[in-house]
Amino acid sequence: MIILILVVLAVILFHYVKRIYSFWERQNFPYDQNSKIPYGCLESVAKHKKSMGMTMYDVYLRSKERFLGVYLLFRPAILVRDVDLVRHVLAEDFASFHDRGIYVDEEKDPLSANIFSLEGKSWRDMRIKLAPLFTSGKLKAMFSTSEEVGDRMIAHLNTLIPEKGTMKIDLKEIFTTYAIDIIGSTIFGLDINSFENPTNKFRNIVRLSHKNTHPAAILGMLLYLFPSLVKFLFRKFGLKNPVALEMLKIVKDTIEYREKHNIVRKDMLQLLMQLKNTGKIEEDDNFDAKVTKKAGSFIENISIETITAQAFVFYIAGQESTASAAALTIFELAQYPDILKKVTEEVNRVLAENNGKITYETLQKMEYLELCINETLRKYPSLPLMNRICTQDYQIPGSDKIIKKGTNVLISLFGIHRDPEHFPDPEIYIPERFLPENSNYNPKAYMPFGEGPRHCIAQRMGKINSKLGVVKILQNFNIEIMPKQDIEIDNYSILIVPKGGVNVRLSKK
Ligand code: HEM
């Protein structure tokens, strides 16, 4: 009897799964023929061979369709390849795609309620509240902190690199410490120096979140694909993100200390305290957080957990992307002597005109450096795969096909940025392609910071700190030219992580 029941269940399951895997055929959509039971197109992610971003790049490459049905394990999803349609999804038709559809539980797990994951009205309210954090006035006020961290990076490199000869340096590691210290200081308000003290509390917590294990990769995939299941399991077993909990302790202690001693510092924590106490961040350059909240106003809802959730996502979104952009720029310069010469001459000239001082304004004057950073972010977009969830049935323009509510929509930014149709010779590093008079690329296809209302909120901050890091290196060291090569992208993380670091040989000037 038991055997019979098991056989019947197996047959039902078999037909159920077969039915899921015929979804796109039944909808008459073009679909990826390589999506096979049980992983769909995610076999290399499930087997921990490739990251999700690079796996979807493979799917992008094996099709020429405008849009393509795929299966993510047992979930039908759409990969949008056509850049006009991408822009519809991200910007023009935002009303149908305003959420990312990833795990968030505002009610029971406020530490998960960060601006990246928040949905609908909660996201919009938070976005409006946080926007004043990243004005140029605020960034200028915080620039001196970034510069101090840059100087500590140079002091550290000076202790490593010999007086004569070159030394191989993993710039990814160096710039990660640089970016973490900038975020630790400007966002968490900590007085840290991870170059001198690499085992400080903040750096150690950060290491926890960099684990590359097979279970971590599977969990990452589930958080992304089955947010409701994860929500259910987290609630059932009272699970919380351990890194966010550690961050919460740090934020609580720092806020308490500042409030007790009436300390006002020009950093983002101060502005987040302002948000907590007053319900908004001042548009001007006022960093004071002492204004008291009015009883019964909506701002009652802003808790330390909510503040920490935002600080935490700024750390996640900010450090890896800033570090990669800076490290990969130097990596490319080391392969193109003419470009290296041109950018070094520009840096030397602009600094000479400004008494050798690097300021927020001097960085804006380095126009060729801007082109180099643009080209780095083209070749290596920090977020290789973007996604949205369809929030209301949507008819694809120029087609009779409907994307159903609840469908995951994927955009392979890596695929688009390396598509010769949009960027001729995509493997070659050509900063000049962005010159207005050359413009040998499709501007609609270039979106390193995303597009539409959910584009990167800290674009300016990411760029300025990457530029500053590159300028500090060019100012202080010679970069040894090396043969042309590409980096291998590691098999984990939703961001681009270069496997084995980014190694370049440097010598003292
Ligand atoms: C070179 C550096 C950076 C790059 C290339 C980058 C890229 C991106 C991209 C592609 C997105 C997704 C946009 C979309 O879905 O349309 C994004 C979103 C976001 N980024 Fe950045 N980013 C960088 C630096 C930063 C920094 C420094 C921070 C914070 C301090 C940050 C915070 C965020 C946040 C909070 C979002 C989500 C915005 C929302 O959903 O409203 N990013 N970023």
Side-chain angles (χ1 to χ4, degrees), residues 91-144:
E92 287 145 52
D93 298 321
F94 184 73
S96 303
F97 301 97
H98 48 74
D99 298 336
R100 298 186 196 276
I102 54 178
Y103 167 73
V104 61
D105 186 354
E106 276 184 75
E107 199 189 324
K108 299 279 183 212
D109 184 8
L111 284 174
S112 72
N114 62 65
I115 183 177
F116 192 84
S117 326
L118 278 172
E119 304 196 326
K121 187 176 176 318
S122 303
W123 165 76
R124 182 166 290 285
D125 289 349
M126 187 55 78
R127 179 95 191 191
I128 292 169
K129 283 186 185 129
L130 293 181
L133 269 178
F134 300 99
T135 59
S136 51
K138 301 278 172 27
L139 295 178
K140 267 186 217 168
M142 285 180 259
F143 186 78
S144 59

Side-chain angles (χ1 to χ4, degrees), residues 90 100 115-118 123 127 130 134 183 187 268 310 313-315 317-319 321-322 325 373 377 380-383 386-388 413 447-459 461-463 465-466:
L90 297 178
R100 298 186 196 276
I115 183 177
F116 192 84
S117 326
L118 278 172
W123 165 76
R127 179 95 191 191
L130 293 181
F134 300 99
I183 287 176
I187 298 182
M268 288 200 187
Q310 313 320 316
V313 85
F314 293 160
Y315 151 71
Q319 55 90 13
S321 51
T322 306
I373 298 282
L377 293 175
Y380 309 99
S382 308
L383 193 62
M386 296 197 289
N387 85 300
R388 296 289 190 271
L413 199 51
M447 45 196 141
F449 293 96
E451 197 48 62
R454 278 201 101 135
H455 76 277
C456 179
I457 196 170
Q459 173 168 348
M461 180 177 178
K463 260 197 173 172
N465 287 328
S466 309

Side-chain angles (χ1 to χ4, degrees), residues 237-498:
F237 300 105
L239 301 175
K240 294 264 155 42
N241 179 340
V243 184
L245 283 174
E246 286 298 323
M247 298 258 179
L248 177 62
K249 274 192 224 149
I250 293 186
V251 170
K252 266 189 178 156
D253 288 352
T254 317
I255 290 184
E256 254 173 48
Y257 185 80
R258 285 193 187 181
E259 288 187 338
K260 196 164 154 204
H261 296 90
N262 273 332
I263 293 171
V264 175
R265 270 180 55 168
K266 291 199 168 192
D267 60 24
M268 288 200 187
L269 185 70
Q270 200 71 39
L271 297 169
L272 290 171
M273 286 166 68
Q274 201 179 65
L275 177 63
K276 178 174 82 68
N277 291 348
T278 70
K280 69 186 208 52
I281 296 169
E282 297 293 329
E283 298 281 341
D284 60 20
D285 294 347
N286 176 13
F287 281 74
D288 202 345
K290 283 179 287 180
V291 194
T292 48
K293 58 181 169 186
K294 296 177 194 80
S297 65
F298 71 99
I299 58 173
E300 298 289 333
N301 296 336
I302 300 175
S303 62
I304 287 203
E305 280 80 2
T306 309
I307 296 301
T308 306
Q310 313 320 316
F312 181 46
V313 85
F314 293 160
Y315 151 71
I316 297 279
Q319 55 90 13
E320 191 82 47
S321 51
T322 306
S324 289
L328 291 167
T329 300
I330 304 274
F331 175 75
E332 290 289 344
L333 294 179
Q335 298 173 49
Y336 292 86
D338 293 348
I339 301 176
L340 174 62
K341 187 164 173 272
K342 208 166 158 184
V343 73
T344 311
E345 278 171 7
E346 179 185 72
V347 167
N348 290 342
R349 179 179 49 77
V350 175
L351 289 183
E353 285 163 10
N354 291 277
N355 305 321
K357 249 191 103 46
I358 308 177
T359 61
Y360 189 87
E361 288 77 14
T362 21
L363 289 181
Q364 313 298 327
K365 291 184 195 156
M366 297 178 184
E367 290 169 4
Y368 191 64
L369 175 66
E370 168 82 14
L371 300 183
C372 292
I373 298 282
N374 287 350
E375 179 65 343
T376 305
L377 293 175
R378 196 266 315 157
K379 211 174 160 190
Y380 309 99
S382 308
L383 193 62
L385 180 70
M386 296 197 289
N387 85 300
R388 296 289 190 271
I389 194 110
C390 177
T391 44
Q392 59 188 18
D393 285 3
Y394 177 77
Q395 173 154 10
I396 298 178
S399 144
D400 59 351
K401 306 277 178 285
I402 308 266
I403 302 181
K404 295 247 171 72
K405 183 177 170 180
T407 308
N408 218 325
V409 176
L410 306 168
I411 296 155
S412 173
L413 199 51
F414 197 90
I416 293 172
H417 277 192
R418 292 216 182 191
D419 192 331
E421 205 180 293
H422 306 306
F423 301 92
D425 299 318
E427 307 303 325
I428 305 180
Y429 189 77
I430 315 175
E432 283 79 3
R433 72 168 88 236
F434 291 104
L435 278 173
E437 60 269 31
N438 286 357
S439 191
N440 76 339
Y441 76 105
N442 174 4
K444 283 190 199 161
Y446 186 63
M447 45 196 141
F449 293 96
E451 197 48 62
R454 278 201 101 135
H455 76 277
C456 179
I457 196 170
Q459 173 168 348
R460 256 190 294 217
M461 180 177 178
K463 260 197 173 172
I464 211 79
N465 287 328
S466 309
K467 280 186 189 171
L468 174 65
V470 171
V471 168
K472 286 273 171 198
I473 297 289
L474 292 176
Q475 197 187 17
N476 291 279
F477 302 104
N478 300 309
I479 297 167
E480 191 176 272
I481 299 302
M482 62 188 189
K484 299 265 183 309
Q485 52 200 276
D486 208 351
I487 52 153
E488 192 185 338
I489 312 286
D490 219 334
N491 59 349
Y492 74 108
S493 181
I494 59 162
L495 301 168
I496 279 197
V497 178

